[in-house]
Amino acid sequence: MDKGHIIKKIAVGSIAEELELESGDRVMAVNNQAIEDVFDYHYLINDEYIELTVLKKDGEEWILEIEKDAEEDLGIEFESSLMDDYHSCSNKCIFCFIDQLPDGMRETMYFKDDDSRLSFLQGNYITLTNMKDRELDRIIKYKLSPINISVHTTDPELRCMMLHNRFAGKIMEQITKLYAAGTIMNGQIVLCKGVNDGEALKRTIGDLMGFLPFMESLSVVPVGISRHREGLYPLEPFTKADAIEVLNIIHDFQEKCMEEYDTHFVHASDEWYILAGLPLPEADNYDGYVQLENGVGMLRLQEEEFAEAMAAAVDGGIERKDPSIEKRCTIATGKLAGPFLRKLIRDFNALYPGVHAEVVEITNNFFGPRITVSGLLTGQDIMEQLRAIILAAGKGTRMEQLKGRDLGSQLLLPVNVLRSGEDVLLDDVHISEIEKTLQVPVRIVQSNGKDLYEALLS
């Protein structure tokens, strides 16, 4: 028996509120059709006239005739955002980071999703290997885009090996089908040394170029290697020379794409430039920062936004220096962004010499020192290493050492250390626990440069 989909919340002023729908009611059907998931729901309610079947909390069934604007939402939020169970991943990818997690973390951390609906709704990347043909047809039927695809390689045999899935070799066939339907796509390559780099990388980029303009962009990111890889495929970290070679391949293809399509198309994540010891590309090279979620251009964009905030301050009356503002604070970040943030602080001090912000690069002991991004820092590493700084720098009694004065008046942490929508880090350490341990207020800084600028002044 169809149990319908439970309403969690009704938007104020919405059609659903006018119809006197409430949390706890169940939406059973639209136009007498059962709703499989969020795709069905949004597709079916797009018409100007619909019939909504609702089972009220008291057991009464309502059939509501609704006239509205085309594609106008009803204002209903369901208990399950997908209106269905999440689809798990059956791959055993040689680079999967979830397989590199230590024991003892929250159970949900070990869940591997490969859900096309999350690709559309939240921007997640999917491999397409866990989809039936019917699901691909639904994406095309409902005109869902963009769809973000974890490609990794277009060599069928190599892809089957990397994903440990015998169906993984159909990737070109699947992308071709989406391309023929005009579905907008973005691609991703997790690059593994000695596996899908070199000639294999050239083949993949060249193949995917053939799907322009519907394949709008492609990112290349280095594999993350934690210290918890017992029994897993032997992967090696990239060296400086490797990074330079990868960037040379990408830059060659960028030139071709600019000549033929007026887009750079393929982009290297920021890690490659830092590892290679090369400057980040200019802002125009990022084609509007279409691959930010993969760490492509995040540092350049933050620098741009930070400079704009400073320029606005100058336009607002600050001429050269404003010594009236005094502050001491600490910025904790990963080793990747540390040198970059120090440069921003030097620029900032040209206007505000009284603001002293110390950038502390946190070594990732939890996952291993090869993990250098701030998004994988844990609360325990942050607390242990900052507490060591306090103890080393403090004077007087032990209690005086723990007052956090050596961290200044505030500790700034990047927002990506938090799990999405929560005040909790990957290892379940709450922000309040960090504040209590270090005896210093914590401010979470959003990923844009303007928020960093304002945090330094606050």
Side-chain angles (χ1 to χ4, degrees), residues 5-22:
H5 302 278
I6 302 174
I7 296 175
K8 177 183 178 182
K9 190 176 175 182
I10 298 294
V12 176
S14 65
I15 293 173
E17 185 181 54
E18 288 182 31
L19 296 171
E20 300 182 358
L21 297 181
E22 305 170 285

Side-chain angles (χ1 to χ4, degrees), residues 403-415:
K403 287 183 179 179
R405 290 183 301 176
D406 294 292
L407 298 182
S409 60
Q410 205 171 41
L411 171 61
L412 307 184
L413 294 178
V415 68

Side-chain angles (χ1 to χ4, degrees), residues 36 40 131-139 177:
E36 182 178 333
D40 282 339
M131 295 178 62
K132 297 181 173 66
D133 291 341
R134 171 180 169 274
E135 293 175 273
L136 201 63
D137 291 338
R138 290 179 78 214
I139 289 175
K177 190 171 184 177

Side-chain angles (χ1 to χ4, degrees), residues 280-444:
L280 295 169
E282 295 301 317
D284 291 345
N285 286 56
Y286 290 106
D287 299 335
Y289 297 104
V290 290
Q291 287 270 1
L292 273 179
E293 292 302 315
N294 280 315
V296 175
M298 290 189 73
L299 296 180
R300 172 60 73 201
L301 180 59
Q302 188 175 41
E303 183 179 44
E304 270 200 320
E305 293 167 339
F306 194 83
E308 287 172 3
M310 289 184 60
V314 172
D315 292 341
I318 296 177
E319 295 180 0
R320 292 189 178 177
K321 289 188 177 183
D322 184 354
S324 65
I325 299 176
E326 295 186 356
K327 177 181 177 179
R328 289 183 63 249
C329 66
T330 299
I331 303 174
T333 187
K335 288 188 173 293
L336 182 72
F340 173 81
L341 286 174
R342 289 193 186 91
K343 177 183 179 301
L344 295 189
I345 299 303
R346 288 195 296 271
D347 295 341
F348 183 82
N349 287 146
L351 282 184
Y352 306 102
V355 177
H356 301 281
E358 181 182 0
V359 177
V360 178
E361 297 174 15
I362 303 296
T363 299
N364 200 321
N365 294 324
F366 188 86
F367 289 114
R370 290 174 177 171
I371 303 298
T372 60
V373 294
S374 58
L376 289 172
L377 290 177
T378 59
Q380 64 188 55
D381 277 341
I382 291 171
M383 290 188 296
E384 286 175 4
Q385 292 174 46
L386 291 182
R387 189 169 179 272
I389 290 174
I390 295 171
L391 292 171
K395 295 179 181 179
T397 67
R398 182 175 177 80
M399 287 304 295
E400 287 175 335
Q401 291 172 348
L402 292 174
K403 287 183 179 179
R405 290 183 301 176
D406 294 292
L407 298 182
S409 60
Q410 205 171 41
L411 171 61
L412 307 184
L413 294 178
V415 68
N416 61 0
V417 302
L418 300 179
R419 289 206 297 261
S420 179
E422 301 181 60
D423 287 336
V424 178
L425 285 80
L426 285 175
D427 57 347
D428 286 336
V429 171
H430 197 279
I431 289 298
S432 60
E433 185 178 343
I434 296 177
E435 291 180 321
K436 182 178 179 181
T437 299
L438 300 176
Q439 290 293 290
V440 63
V442 171
R443 169 159 176 166
I444 298 299

